[in-house]
Amino acid sequence: MGCTDMQPIRNGEQIHCYVIKSGCQAEVAVQTALLSLYANHGNLDCAYELFQKMNDVVSWTALISGSSKVGCDEIALLWLLEMLWEGVMPNQFTLTSALASSARLTATELGRSLHSCIIKAGFEEDKFIGCALIDMYSKCGIIEDAVAHFNETPKQDVALWNSVLAGHAYHGNVLELLNTFEDMQLHKLNPDELSFLALLSGCSHGDHVDMAVQYYMLMKDEYGIIPKKEHHSCIIDALGRAGLFRDAVLIIETLGFDPGPEVLRTLINSCIVHRHIRLGLSIAAKMVVLRATDASSYVLLSKLYAVNGRWNDARNTRESMERSCLRGKKVGRMD
């Protein structure tokens, strides 16, 4: 039943042993904490074993939430259905996790059914439920319903605005994205780093490089928000898509720290699209120096060679990737 390939959570297991020795295992709060620990780290076998001794709304929620967090969305939703079959009513935290799983699976009908349950249970005004509903409708391709729900909610929480901003960015609705951001400012709410991440992402994918640069500077100069690697990656992507490689390199050089593999891979991808081979190879060399190479980096380097007609180099790069992955698997088995 375990859905992740994570390393054993040794510290948690040691704590569990101590709990057993101390005789505290029968306490509900301790059992729930242990259940959440195992579920959140993908060890669903141990989580389910603990759950069988409990079977209340808190334990159901911990099991469903943990499964959702580690990407076992189908299992999370099956457990929700079993919970309802057992006659245990979910709380707002259970439903928030179920909505997140529905969003990732684009399970539209189930998402609508959950919305009906939320209305009947009186949870519709809950902030976390509201964000999850907007996210679910957006990722299920029904941005109109996401906006409709947003329009029916109070407008005093930044998280709700961020959800609808992210929805517009996800659908490439740049005009709606910018208008929503303006409305947010009219409501005198200060945007946070997630607000600007949605703006930068939407402007980048909508080929609005000037707007992306404007918001990138605005978040630093007017709101004092220090950009994170995700923001850097978005602005580099916007500049790279527009072929503004000098500006992209200048931003990387002025960061004053390792930009991280995500940012460098973003720029290499733009180099492939625009056939800027020399710059792409120099960035790839930098990734080797920083030891930031993984399977996706090898794939990009292979594509870079291929668009330049260097087929032998492309093939050798893929063979190197396969050898590297094979070594990693051997090391994993030895551990």
Side-chain angles (χ1 to χ4, degrees):
M1 289 175 67
C3 295
T4 61
D5 190 26
M6 303 176 71
Q7 292 295 324
I9 46 174
R10 294 184 179 87
N11 291 339
E13 291 171 343
Q14 289 172 3
I15 293 170
H16 195 172
C17 290
Y18 176 77
V19 166
I20 294 172
K21 290 178 181 178
S22 65
C24 299
Q25 192 177 18
E27 295 183 14
V28 175
V30 174
Q31 288 183 332
T32 303
L34 286 169
L35 195 163
S36 296
L37 173 73
Y38 285 120
N40 289 339
H41 286 81
N43 193 337
L44 300 184
D45 289 325
C46 289
Y48 187 67
E49 186 177 339
L50 285 165
F51 164 76
Q52 287 181 308
K53 303 172 185 177
M54 302 168 68
N55 196 27
D56 60 3
V57 65
V58 177
S59 59
W60 276 107
T61 298
L63 193 62
I64 292 167
S65 174
S67 303
S68 179
K69 284 180 181 177
V70 297
C72 300
D73 297 305
E74 292 181 351
I75 289 178
L77 294 174
L78 285 172
W79 270 327
L80 174 68
L81 293 175
E82 187 174 342
M83 177 185 183
L84 294 171
W85 182 260
E86 292 286 336
V88 181
M89 292 304 297
N91 59 26
Q92 60 266 49
F93 304 109
T94 324
L95 293 167
T96 298
S97 297
L99 284 169
S101 289
S102 298
R104 283 189 291 269
L105 294 173
T106 61
T108 308
E109 293 308 313
L110 180 56
R112 290 191 187 279
S113 298
L114 288 171
H115 194 172
S116 297
C117 291
I118 288 164
I119 294 171
K120 291 177 183 177
F123 294 142
E124 200 170 17
E125 293 187 5
D126 181 86
K127 176 181 74 173
F128 299 105
I129 287 283
C131 292
L133 278 170
I134 293 169
D135 183 63
M136 182 273 295
Y137 281 125
S138 296
K139 290 181 179 175
C140 286
I142 320 172
I143 187 64
E144 298 83 4
D145 286 8
V147 173
H149 179 70
F150 171 74
N151 289 336
E152 294 171 359
T153 60
K155 303 293 187 295
Q156 300 307 313
D157 197 290
V158 173
L160 287 165
W161 286 91
N162 287 345
S163 296
V164 77
L165 285 171
H168 284 310
Y170 182 79
H171 283 268
N173 301 334
V174 180
L175 182 59
E176 291 84 351
L177 173 69
L178 301 182
N179 288 338
T180 302
F181 182 66
E182 289 183 9
D183 289 342
M184 180 181 178
Q185 292 177 304
L186 290 174
H187 280 77
K188 301 188 183 304
L189 287 173
N190 285 333
D192 60 16
E193 59 187 41
L194 293 178
S195 313
F196 282 105
L197 185 60
L199 286 166
L200 291 173
S201 176
C203 290
S204 172
H205 290 97
D207 295 327
H208 289 261
V209 62
D210 293 339
M211 296 299 298
V213 172
Q214 178 181 325
Y215 287 124
Y216 183 73
M217 300 305 296
L218 185 70
M219 70 180 292
K220 296 188 297 180
D221 298 341
E222 185 168 333
Y223 292 97
I225 299 173
I226 299 175
K228 294 186 176 179
K229 289 182 178 181
E230 295 86 353
H231 301 95
H232 297 315
S233 184
C234 281
I235 192 63
I236 295 301
D237 181 53
L239 292 167
R241 285 170 181 264
L244 302 174
F245 290 103
R246 286 190 177 182
D247 294 328
V249 171
L250 182 62
I251 286 179
I252 291 176
E253 290 177 344
T254 55
L255 289 179
F257 57 86
D258 170 22
E262 297 87 359
V263 175
L264 296 177
R265 282 197 293 266
T266 297
L267 191 53
I268 290 178
N269 194 58
S270 293
C271 289
I272 292 171
V273 172
H274 289 273
R275 296 180 177 271
H276 207 312
I277 308 302
R278 182 178 298 179
L279 176 60
L281 291 175
S282 68
I283 298 168
K286 182 178 179 65
M287 293 185 73
V288 172
V289 171
L290 295 173
R291 296 183 179 181
T293 51
D294 57 9
S296 58
S297 302
Y298 279 113
V299 170
L300 285 173
L301 181 57
S302 177
K303 287 183 179 179
L304 197 63
Y305 284 133
V307 297
N308 197 35
R310 296 167 59 174
W311 303 110
N312 288 335
D313 289 331
R315 183 176 61 254
N316 292 337
T317 300
R318 287 190 175 272
E319 290 174 355
S320 297
M321 177 186 69
E322 291 170 1
R323 288 194 297 269
S324 177
C325 291
L326 184 61
R327 284 196 299 270
K329 290 181 180 178
K330 288 180 178 179
V331 171
R333 284 198 294 269
M334 291 174 63
D335 289 343

